[in-house]
Amino acid sequence: MTLATAHDLGAVTDLATATNEHLANISNTLIYSAMAVYTLAFFAYIAEWLFGSRSKVARTANALTANGARTTAAAPEVTVQKAGGTAVLERPKVVTRSAVGARDVPDGPGAHGGDEQGDLYGRIAVSLTVLAWAVEAAGVVARALSVRRAPWGNMYEFNITFSTVAVGVFLVLLALRKNVRWLGLPLVTTVLLDLGLAVTVLYTASDQLVPALHSYWLYIHVSTAILCGAVFYVGAVGTLLYLFKDSYENKLANGGQPGRFATSVMERLPASASLDKFSYRVNAAVFPLWTFTIIAGAIWAGDAWGRYWGWDPKETWAFITWVAYACYLHARATAGWKGRKAAYIALIAFGCWLFNYYGVNIFVSGKHSYADVG
């Protein structure tokens, strides 16, 4: 090799390195920009809830209660005009039943509470969420171009991709005209926390993968794991809100008096039965894909390490997560375990998924530990 050829190769290498660094900087800028837009969306969602709390629907709900709670005993009477005279009728009682899914409770009007200005802020919040998602997705693509591979080689890359997919799932549900706008505020809040953790604690400079990860299974196994995690997260939020709404409805059914804040929020959410059904359908729909994710990981392990299963910490907790979600789905089909008991299992299952990602990667060493905290 002549000196001129070596010089040319060195120049090409330097140019490629500079290009990769430039793309990495663009990716970082886009991620920070997405965080800024998500912050604006966060405040817009807050405005939607605040204006909704002052809406006619909320005021009416409060007027039908004593100090913010429905009372079925001593319900106020209603005076009506009838054939030139006056008739006094008793206000009908609110029918509530303790059996899960059997309460005659309608879904709330949504975070905007039926208020036009609240609804306007809600639509602005969704528009900002779409913009932030597009900017974040561009940041993920720029990261992939900078490393010339799938951007899932470490926890930083996994985090930014995970939050992008989670928001994408939310937007798809909205596009399908599902009643999920109530999910916007908790989703954007946790996405901001996720991205803040990613750019501070988990950030890792662009680098190439270890040899074991150079496989097309990276695209199959990790992409499905990210999608499953995003959908499990959406289901977990629905489950958590179900527990709050179920407690609220139980208190009303027993003649209790929830506070004004609880009434304002809970009256605008879907009924507990709707939230329970939503969480179940989401988790049940993605469970087969999680099963495939574990199988794909085992096949990849066989190619990379010469064995399909070795009880590595990541493999073990992936299996524990699978068992937990299988128990949840079984509980939902069992008479004595529907409702709150099944919901607790669902939250435990999602906790297993979180530990499988954060806990195992940070605190436990194994074959799946790559790229510092990756």
Side-chain angles (χ1 to χ4, degrees), residues 317-331:
W317 276 96
F319 179 69
I320 291 173
T321 303
W322 184 89
V323 171
Y325 274 108
C327 289
Y328 163 71
L329 296 177
H330 178 71

Side-chain angles (χ1 to χ4, degrees), residues 287-335:
F287 180 74
L289 186 61
W290 181 248
T291 304
F292 170 78
T293 300
I294 296 176
I295 295 174
I299 296 174
W300 187 10
D303 291 343
W305 301 317
R307 51 80 174 161
Y308 293 102
W309 196 268
W311 296 105
D312 180 77
K314 179 73 72 173
E315 298 168 349
T316 302
W317 276 96
F319 179 69
I320 291 173
T321 303
W322 184 89
V323 171
Y325 274 108
C327 289
Y328 163 71
L329 296 177
H330 178 71
R332 283 291 272 100
T334 304

Side-chain angles (χ1 to χ4, degrees), residues 44-45 48 112 115-130 181:
Y45 283 118
E48 178 186 20
H112 54 81
D115 180 76
E116 291 185 6
Q117 193 168 9
D119 183 61
L120 173 62
Y121 278 107
R123 287 185 278 114
I124 291 173
V126 171
S127 299
L128 289 171
T129 303
V130 172
R181 205 162 85 182

